[in-house]
Amino acid sequence: MTIQDLKIGETAEIVSLDSEQLPKPMLTELLELGFFPGAEITLKDKSLLLGKMICNLSGTTIALRIHDGNAIKIKLRQT
């Protein structure tokens, strides 16, 4: 499951980043932003028209390209 599979309002735990799908500069940027295994992420909004998603990562709001979200593997949090 990836961030792309989240529905708006769902929260998940990051399991891993697929380094083969991301260029090295993007992987480095995501790690600097806090996309580490174990981090909690919530999908706030998604725009297919713009190709963007808005996420809350450990209290910080971050915009990502939907395509890049395909490289972020997650585990859905049970509520």
Side-chain angles (χ1 to χ4, degrees), residues 9-45:
E10 285 186 322
T11 299
E13 177 182 324
I14 295 174
V15 174
S16 66
L17 300 176
D18 188 346
S19 60
E20 294 181 8
Q21 291 187 30
L22 293 169
K24 188 170 180 172
M26 185 63 186
L27 179 62
T28 301
E29 187 172 336
L30 289 174
L31 291 171
E32 289 175 351
L33 288 170
F35 284 80
F36 289 102
E40 182 178 288
I41 190 162
T42 302
L43 180 63
K44 305 292 274 183
D45 201 2

Side-chain angles (χ1 to χ4, degrees), residues 30 37 40 52 54-55 60 74-75:
L30 289 174
E40 182 178 288
K52 304 281 185 190
I54 307 296
C55 301
T60 303
I74 58 167
K75 178 174 65 177

Side-chain angles (χ1 to χ4, degrees), residues 45-65:
D45 201 2
K46 187 188 292 187
S47 171
L48 297 177
L49 183 63
L50 298 175
K52 304 281 185 190
M53 63 175 67
I54 307 296
C55 301
N56 186 313
L57 178 68
S58 302
T60 303
T61 301
I62 297 172
L64 286 174
R65 289 179 292 225

